[in-house]
Amino acid sequence: RKEVEQDPGPFNVPEGATVAFNCTYSNSASQSFFWYRQDCRKEPKLLMSVYSSGNEDGRFTAQLNRASQYISLLIRDSKLSDSATYLCVVNVAWDKIIFGKGTRLHILP
Amino acid sequence: GAVVSQHPSRVICKSGTSVKIECRSLDFQATTMFWYRQFPKQSLMLMATSNEGSKATYEQGVEKDKFLINHASLTLSTLTVTSAHPEDSSFYICSATRGGGELFFGEGSRLTVL
């Protein structure tokens, strides 16, 4: 099993729809979790941290399921500007950070 | 928020030359810096992990003699691509962490080797 796995997509979703994707991780000792967004030819930018209790930021909701070892990202009322690649990042140890390969999202007008 | 600056943002060089890319954390001391490479339409690939004052830890398949990493201070790490060839053309990105897992990324450096 890969250390961090994501469905590469692409997810083609009509504007206004809700979309969700998961990221699974293999190391149960993983400490912290993040979702990053990367636009084409740009560096990744932090979208949100993922807390055990789950967290919400506007249209975005992130959740962590330690028992099943996955994190999720839900985007409600999707906008054209949400089109990007979403990277799951897992901090296994203080100096070991693993990236998922990213999930490509295309919001269709 | 924390800022990481990467320089140069674009570089074009001739085959066989060496190119140095700098990564600076501007407003915090970075315990660890990471270097990545990203080819078009592919995901980020970690090349090496760099801790100040110690040798970098390279990922499998990354040639340490070709990609020299120097982390001389808590705010500066450099990546030197030695004897660059066209297949080294890529987007190189650094990131830094001050602990806690959150990463702060540089803007990336696009290398084109002719």
Side-chain angles (χ1 to χ4, degrees):
Chain A
R1 184 179 178 183
K2 293 182 181 176
E3 289 190 275
V4 175
E5 280 196 87
Q6 292 183 254
D7 183 338
F11 285 57
N12 297 309
V13 175
E15 191 176 8
T18 295
V19 60
F21 22 85
N22 290 342
C23 166
T24 59
Y25 61 94
S26 62
N27 191 326
S28 59
S30 298
Q31 300 170 359
S32 49
F33 310 85
F34 306 88
W35 283 105
Y36 280 78
R37 170 195 168 127
Q38 186 177 24
D39 293 296
C40 188
R41 300 169 73 89
K42 297 283 184 65
E43 77 277 18
K45 292 189 185 298
L46 180 66
L47 179 65
M48 45 197 318
S49 303
V50 187
Y51 303 122
S52 297
S53 56
N55 47 307
E56 186 173 314
D57 182 4
R59 298 182 293 110
F60 298 84
T61 301
Q63 292 193 311
L64 166 63
N65 185 317
R66 282 196 181 273
S68 300
Q69 295 184 198
Y70 73 87
I71 64 172
S72 63
L73 178 67
L74 178 81
I75 305 175
R76 288 180 297 278
D77 187 23
S78 54
K79 312 288 185 192
L80 294 176
S81 56
D82 293 333
S83 297
T85 296
Y86 291 84
L87 301 169
C88 163
V89 179
V90 177
N91 184 202
V92 177
W94 69 273
D95 63 344
K96 187 173 173 65
I97 294 175
I98 311 293
F99 277 84
K101 293 192 178 297
T103 297
R104 286 183 294 141
L105 175 64
H106 296 152
I107 303 300
L108 307 173
Chain B
V3 177
V4 172
S5 174
Q6 194 172 333
H7 177 81
S9 58
R10 293 180 185 274
V11 57
I12 300 173
C13 69
K14 292 182 179 180
S15 186
T17 60
S18 294
V19 174
K20 180 186 283 187
I21 301 169
E22 291 188 349
C23 179
R24 292 180 186 273
S25 56
L26 297 183
D27 55 356
F28 68 101
Q29 292 186 324
T31 53
T32 306
M33 288 185 170
F34 303 88
W35 287 96
Y36 312 84
R37 181 167 53 183
Q38 188 174 37
F39 293 107
K41 299 188 178 181
Q42 294 188 26
S43 63
L44 284 172
M45 291 182 58
L46 180 65
M47 299 176 67
T49 301
S50 171
N51 296 300
E52 181 264 340
S54 61
K55 290 183 179 179
T57 302
Y58 289 80
E59 295 298 300
Q60 193 172 10
V62 178
E63 299 174 60
K64 62 181 180 182
D65 294 330
K66 181 167 181 65
F67 299 100
L68 300 178
I69 292 173
N70 183 284
H71 195 156
S73 75
L74 283 169
T75 59
L76 174 64
S77 177
T78 60
L79 168 68
T80 301
V81 183
T82 62
S83 187
H85 289 93
E87 57 266 29
D88 298 324
S89 298
S90 186
F91 189 48
Y92 292 86
I93 308 174
C94 72
S95 69
T97 180
R98 53 190 175 192
E102 187 177 354
L103 295 170
F104 302 94
F105 285 88
E107 306 95 328
S109 299
R110 192 163 301 281
L111 170 65
T112 302
V113 184
L114 303 176

